[in-house]
Amino acid sequence: MTIWKAPWFWSWAAGALAFAATLLLTDGRNGGDLLSAALTFASFSAIVGIGQMFVITLGPGNVDLSIPASMTLAGTLSLKFMGGDAALIVPGLMVALGVGFGAGVFNYLLIRLLRIPPIIATLSASFIFQSIAIWSNRGLRIKPPQSLSDFTTGATLGVPNLALVALVLAVIAWVILDRSIFGRWLSAFGQNERAARLSGVPIEGVRALTYIGCATLAGLTGFLLASFSGGAALNMGTEYLLVSIAVVVIGGSSIAGGNSNVPGIWGGALFMFLIVSMLNSYGLGAGVRLIVTGGIIIGIVAAASKKGARA
Amino acid sequence: MNARFRILLPIASLAVLLAATFYMQPRAMSYFGLNLLFNLAVPIALATVAQMMIIMVNDIDLSVGTFVSFVACVTATYLNDAPLIGALILLAAIAGYAAIGALIELRQLPAIVVTLGMSFVWGGLAILILPSPGGTAPTWIRTIMTVKPPLVPMAIVASVLIAVIAHLLIMRTSSGALLRAVGGNARAVARSGWSLVRLKAAAYGLAGVFGAASGICLVGLTTSADANIALRYTLLSIAGVILGGGEFTGGRISPVGAVIGALTLALAGSFLSFMRLSPDWQIGAQGAILILVLSVRLLFARSNRKKGAAQ
């Protein structure tokens, strides 16, 4: 397969283009800083994007709208639990992952027991998660332990620590998707649920694990983001709803399910950050930035659909 | 579930909630009280009907909230200062909505992603028009929204009017039946010679009209606007359609139900404040009510199926 036919190629190309366009303006200065900022911020989008990708792979109608609420809840509760105490970092992480896990179980149970479409299930659940977060937060901003804060803003061998974490997760996700039986089951489920069930795929197990995995990743992202930005805020997850879906689509995964790829998530996540910083450095305001971002998302799906029709 | 049965559950939900509200706060059982309870329901009802138009053709619109915000910003600025230009902008926006519907059908794009992209675009435009909260509501809309008809408060009259118009439009005309048929069996509609592109454009255009009406009414109530004024309408409108007995697929929707669903959601907020529940839990309670209604619906559907099997 030639490289430009790979589904993830265009997201990387677009990211590189935005990077080059930004550097053009600064005559190549600050390239390293920009790259490390891009890697850091793309990490958050990449982690939630991986979770969302697994959910979207399940097929039409499958999308997790509770990601922002799960992130906020996990960030809020874990920071409150740690209370700035460095000794509690590992248990704090466990709290965040546990909150995510619980949110995923709740989502799945709603889908399974009430037979409601995942969009509505995760939507109603997100209302509840959000309320719990508001209630437990009470406008307080608890700082993360210093060492955790240093870790999330620091770098190892020049690479931001967060990017390393997200990279490891991406590799694990790639192995699961492309090299494990679970990945096969997931794709089979997304391509044809009935055929998958008849050929003995444990579809309920696959669906449960997918939703739980996605919410757990959202919990982890909430933990990292809250530590990175010096405390949990109630609106900290808001933008990640759109971003998580956008990186999946830009990354070349099929929105109709059954066909996904992990490298594209990173390409999409880097692109989403770089396009914003490009428009910023060209001095364009928030309004234009949003319009361009939206136009690009629509342009990419429109272009991708043409490719799909020809193939 | 047939159409007659479909409307029973939303009515029952609203009645139960209303009874509970009157029980908690008997003083609400008055002209003034009712007006206060349902005041903000009018724009929510209009946004819900807009969302229903999209769900009717098996799509989902994630841009309703930002579109209503955008319209609110236009209403509080251009429509007030230069009514002609303001009206032209709104017409162009509605045409834009229809064009999106045509594009989605023409290129077979996933509506959820395209409307996600559009939500960035509308949000960006809103910020360009009104960078900071402000503006003034045109006097005429202010007058309409605060008019005090005899016996029944304005909010109720308006809701009934919206329900009747939407019902006549969708359930009682041949074009309405055709639009519902697109959701039911798009291929059959296309085979019998109708243009799916035009029909989708019509459905999206109608959504644009109701969305615009929602934004205008909202400004009439709040007297000023800001770019984020109606962001939560996206989720509220989806919830309202489903509460009102609509389904995600098959063109099975109920305009009257959708309006009742919107009223239920609006009432839920007031009810909780009467219960002296902290405002923290308001969003969560809306989620819980949604889940509750869906569970009841499942029970009804099950007992129906059993009856069907016995016959």
Side-chain angles (χ1 to χ4, degrees):
Chain A
M1 189 167 68
T2 40
I3 184 158
W4 57 272
K5 274 192 182 156
W8 45 264
F9 173 76
W10 293 104
S11 66
W12 282 89
L17 211 64
F19 185 66
T22 316
L23 287 193
L24 209 63
L25 194 77
T26 58
D27 298 323
R29 273 172 285 130
N30 305 329
D33 288 348
L34 178 63
L35 197 61
S36 110
L39 282 172
T40 305
F41 283 97
S43 308
F44 302 122
S45 325
I47 303 176
V48 287
I50 288 169
Q52 188 72 279
M53 178 188 75
F54 274 86
V55 170
I56 286 178
T57 308
L58 285 175
N62 282 290
V63 63
D64 187 349
L65 296 184
S66 70
I67 285 180
S70 310
M71 281 174 68
T72 310
L73 185 60
T76 308
L77 290 185
S78 60
L79 257 63
K80 200 174 174 183
F81 174 79
M82 290 186 290
D85 184 354
L88 291 176
I89 290 178
V90 174
L93 175 62
M94 290 301 140
V95 167
L97 293 177
V99 168
F101 185 89
V105 170
F106 189 70
N107 280 336
Y108 173 71
L109 288 180
L110 284 182
I111 297 169
R112 175 86 173 115
L113 295 180
L114 297 187
R115 313 245 174 96
I116 44 185
I119 293 181
I120 279 293
T122 53
L123 174 68
S124 341
S126 80
F127 285 163
I128 294 174
F129 302 158
Q130 186 77 25
S131 261
I132 301 176
I134 295 173
W135 171 71
S136 66
N137 181 296
R138 298 236 165 254
L140 292 175
R141 199 170 168 91
I142 301 169
K143 281 198 163 38
Q146 193 55 43
S147 49
L148 179 61
S149 171
D150 291 343
F151 171 79
T152 49
T153 49
T156 308
L157 300 173
V159 184
N161 290 332
L162 285 176
L164 292 174
V165 172
L167 215 57
V168 168
L169 287 171
V171 171
I172 295 173
W174 179 78
V175 170
I176 292 176
L177 193 66
D178 278 19
R179 290 285 179 274
S180 81
I181 183 73
F182 181 81
R184 299 284 147 150
W185 284 342
L186 186 68
S187 300
F189 189 120
Q191 281 159 20
N192 190 332
E193 185 184 333
R194 196 174 137 79
R197 189 175 56 233
L198 291 176
S199 54
V201 173
I203 57 164
E204 284 311 327
V206 171
R207 178 148 56 184
L209 278 178
T210 306
Y211 276 94
I212 293 171
C214 176
T216 309
L217 284 175
L220 174 67
T221 314
F223 177 78
L224 293 174
L225 183 60
S227 308
F228 174 80
S229 48
L234 285 174
N235 59 353
M236 64 186 234
T238 317
E239 62 176 307
Y240 286 93
L241 173 58
L242 303 186
V243 166
S244 71
I245 302 176
V247 296
V248 175
V249 176
I250 295 173
S253 295
S254 163
I255 192 78
N259 188 4
S260 300
N261 75 96
V262 176
I265 296 291
W266 261 101
L270 286 170
F271 171 71
M272 286 296 280
F273 177 80
L274 286 166
I275 193 76
V276 169
S277 58
M278 181 190 92
L279 295 170
N280 259 339
S281 57
Y282 277 82
L284 296 169
V288 179
R289 227 161 50 214
L290 286 169
I291 296 171
V292 172
T293 312
I296 286 170
I297 293 175
I298 297 174
I300 286 178
V301 279
S305 103
K306 197 179 167 195
K307 260 194 319 198
R310 244 190 258 149
Chain B
M1 260 196 285
N2 65 33
R4 267 178 218 294
F5 177 73
R6 194 189 304 284
I7 198 70
L8 280 180
L9 191 57
I11 292 178
S13 320
L14 182 62
V16 167
L17 199 55
L18 201 58
T21 310
F22 287 157
Y23 179 75
M24 299 298 299
Q25 184 55 273
R27 269 177 296 172
M29 218 180 327
S30 63
Y31 184 95
F32 184 72
L34 277 176
N35 206 19
L36 216 56
L37 283 180
F38 287 111
N39 215 350
L40 279 171
V42 176
I44 298 179
L46 285 164
T48 304
V49 172
Q51 180 71 261
M52 187 197 72
M53 298 294 174
I54 309 287
I55 290 182
M56 176 174 66
V57 292
N58 286 0
D59 285 347
I60 197 152
D61 187 353
L62 293 186
S63 66
V64 168
T66 49
F67 180 69
V68 173
S69 306
F70 162 76
V71 172
C73 289
V74 174
T75 309
T77 54
Y78 288 103
L79 203 60
N80 187 44
D81 308 330
L84 188 65
I85 299 177
L88 284 178
I89 294 178
L90 290 184
L91 283 178
I94 292 169
Y97 235 88
I100 291 298
L103 177 76
I104 286 173
E105 178 59 35
L106 214 58
R107 288 301 193 90
Q108 293 294 310
L109 304 180
I112 189 166
V113 180
V114 176
T115 54
L116 179 71
M118 283 313 290
S119 77
F120 282 94
V121 174
W122 298 125
L125 288 171
I127 291 178
L128 284 185
I129 289 175
L130 202 64
S132 56
T136 318
T139 328
W140 57 270
I141 183 65
R142 187 89 196 107
T143 317
I144 293 178
M145 292 310 290
T146 51
V147 76
K148 291 201 163 44
L151 297 175
V152 188
M154 175 61 187
I156 310 279
V157 175
S159 301
V160 170
L161 210 62
I162 297 165
V164 168
I165 291 174
H167 182 81
L168 292 179
L169 207 62
I170 297 303
M171 310 305 276
R172 285 279 176 270
T173 64
S174 55
S175 19
L178 205 53
L179 285 173
R180 280 182 288 136
V182 174
N185 191 338
R187 187 172 291 184
V189 173
R191 290 259 165 89
S192 44
W194 302 95
S195 157
L196 282 183
V197 175
R198 270 190 215 168
L199 287 172
K200 275 248 168 126
Y204 276 75
L206 279 175
V209 171
F210 279 97
S214 167
I216 296 173
C217 288
L218 184 58
V219 173
L221 290 170
T222 59
T223 68
S224 68
D226 83 86
N228 300 321
I229 192 167
L231 291 191
R232 59 195 195 98
Y233 278 25
T234 301
L235 303 184
L236 275 182
S237 66
I238 300 175
V241 173
I242 300 304
L243 268 182
E247 282 169 45
F248 272 111
T249 52
R252 284 189 287 267
I253 41 104
S254 156
V256 178
V259 172
I260 293 176
L263 292 181
T264 312
L265 283 174
L267 185 60
S270 315
F271 172 66
L272 294 165
S273 52
F274 285 148
M275 277 187 65
R276 300 219 169 69
L277 205 62
S278 124
D280 302 352
W281 292 102
Q282 294 231 353
I283 316 172
Q286 281 175 341
I289 289 174
L290 199 56
I291 293 172
L292 194 70
V293 171
L294 287 167
S295 327
V296 175
R297 194 201 284 190
L298 181 76
L299 289 178
F300 270 101
R302 276 217 183 128
S303 68
N304 251 28
R305 210 173 306 143
K306 269 188 201 142
K307 258 185 243 158
Q311 277 162 3

